[in-house]
Amino acid sequence: MVTIDLWSAKAKLHRAMKQLEDLKALIESVDSNPGLRATLRADLDSGSGYHIVRISGYPDFGQVVEDLSLSVGDIINNLRCSLDHLAWQYACAYAQGVPRKPKDVYFLTCSAAGTQQHKAPGFFAPEVWRRMHEFQPCRGRNGRPDEWSGPYVHQLDLLTELSNADKHKMLVHIEIQPNKFAMIPSRIGLPPWVSQTDSGIDLLIERVNDPDPGADHLDFSQSPHSMEIGAEVVRIRAPAWVNNATIDQVGTAGPTFALPEGRPVAATLKRLAVFVKTVIEDLEQARP
């Protein structure tokens, strides 16, 4: 009798989780490196009264991006393999040996919508496929907690898309977006509801609705959110800068790394890993 052994699927998942921690450490090392920050320049737009802050220079992120891309590929392919190894075990158990068409066995994706037929594969026991089907894109979130950035995409669809592209086309594309800004003061004084004292700062609740003549105003609506020379980062109406048409060294920005559609790298991979872990645990709990 062929029994189900999920050791291989779990090992792939655990490897992916370890690689994800290593990837996070790499990103943190970049965040803490002052030499890996873009420089910013501000130019006054006389028509609007805003200073337009643009990227004036940035270091070579080529090696970091390559390392991240390779790491992302390793992680997503281990996650994808984890599900496929899971599927193989249940297919072998149903066939009581090697399935009749072994090349057809993998963790299928069902994206049926509306009145389309949800076709069940013939190499899983009906009850096994019923449970797997609960995690398919056609079922959506299906009541499970789920957090994502960018437009919604089901975890299995995203995992399959990233894995196929990495295996058959090219390294996963990593976008670099400017973030974590540090700039010279752009407002004048403190807000009226903040008081500086010898012991620190006091918050004056009764003045929170008072006018704030020294306030600045930031507008990110025109930013393409890209790390390129000349790319706009933000527009600032800055009372403290009014006498400076141009400020060559107005501040710096750190890089944020994202997958296509601006999805943050580490958070997106964690979402996929949690999904795979949930699938394995659900199938394991139902195992006879």
Side-chain angles (χ1 to χ4, degrees):
M1 178 178 180
V2 176
T3 59
I4 297 169
D5 183 356
L6 300 184
W7 167 81
S8 182
K10 290 181 179 180
K12 284 289 187 180
L13 173 60
H14 293 159
R15 172 61 67 178
M17 297 293 284
K18 174 60 169 61
Q19 291 168 326
L20 179 53
E21 291 306 311
D22 292 342
L23 179 142
K24 290 179 180 177
L26 173 58
I27 293 175
E28 289 171 2
S29 72
V30 173
D31 289 343
S32 62
N33 187 339
L36 293 177
R37 295 183 65 85
T39 56
L40 304 176
R41 167 192 171 104
D43 294 286
L44 179 63
D45 176 49
S46 57
S48 65
Y50 281 77
H51 278 79
I52 302 177
V53 179
R54 295 185 175 90
I55 295 173
S56 57
Y58 61 88
D60 182 5
F61 291 109
Q63 189 59 56
V64 174
V65 168
E66 181 178 313
D67 290 343
L68 284 174
S69 234
L70 289 167
S71 295
V72 170
D74 290 342
I75 293 167
I76 60 177
N77 286 312
N78 274 325
L79 292 175
R80 179 69 244 189
C81 286
S82 179
L83 291 178
D84 289 340
H85 288 201
L86 174 81
W88 177 255
Q89 287 296 314
Y90 280 95
C92 289
Y94 185 53
Q96 282 301 294
V98 177
R100 186 167 59 88
K101 296 181 178 180
K103 291 184 178 180
D104 291 345
V105 177
Y106 63 97
F107 196 90
L108 296 171
T109 300
C110 178
S111 300
T115 58
Q116 291 178 311
Q117 182 179 2
H118 299 258
K119 185 177 180 180
F123 47 78
F124 293 134
E127 174 59 19
V128 168
W129 173 245
R130 187 192 70 76
R131 297 191 75 93
M132 287 184 181
H133 196 238
E134 293 300 303
F135 295 95
Q136 295 294 323
C138 63
R139 302 284 290 154
R141 292 177 63 184
N142 204 9
R144 294 185 298 274
D146 186 16
E147 295 182 0
W148 66 91
S149 299
Y152 172 77
V153 59
H154 190 275
Q155 295 98 317
L156 187 55
D157 277 334
L158 181 58
L159 178 58
T160 302
E161 175 187 340
L162 292 172
S163 179
N164 286 344
D166 181 79
K167 285 190 296 185
H168 304 299
K169 296 179 181 178
M170 60 186 298
L171 294 181
V172 175
H173 176 66
I174 302 292
E175 300 176 357
I176 310 177
Q177 302 174 348
N179 205 338
K180 310 177 186 74
F181 307 109
M183 288 186 280
I184 63 175
S186 54
R187 61 164 296 125
I188 296 175
L190 295 171
W193 52 87
V194 174
S195 174
Q196 181 74 54
T197 67
D198 292 340
S199 58
I201 291 178
D202 287 342
L203 179 63
L204 309 176
I205 299 297
E206 68 278 7
R207 300 196 61 186
V208 293
N209 294 317
D210 286 7
D212 184 8
D216 52 14
H217 182 267
L218 281 66
D219 178 7
F220 290 92
S221 65
Q222 305 299 312
S223 173
H225 305 290
S226 61
M227 188 72 81
E228 298 177 2
I229 300 295
E232 181 175 326
V233 171
V234 63
R235 299 186 177 204
I236 305 181
R237 188 187 293 274
W241 300 357
V242 292
N243 296 322
N244 298 279
T246 297
I247 307 175
D248 285 325
Q249 298 290 332
V250 75
T252 63
T256 291
F257 301 102
L259 297 171
E261 298 183 291
R263 304 178 191 278
V265 170
T268 300
L269 293 175
K270 180 181 178 181
R271 177 184 180 231
L272 298 181
V274 168
F275 172 75
V276 172
K277 182 174 183 288
T278 303
V279 173
I280 292 174
E281 289 178 346
D282 183 85
L283 269 292
E284 185 175 36
Q285 290 171 4
R287 186 173 56 183

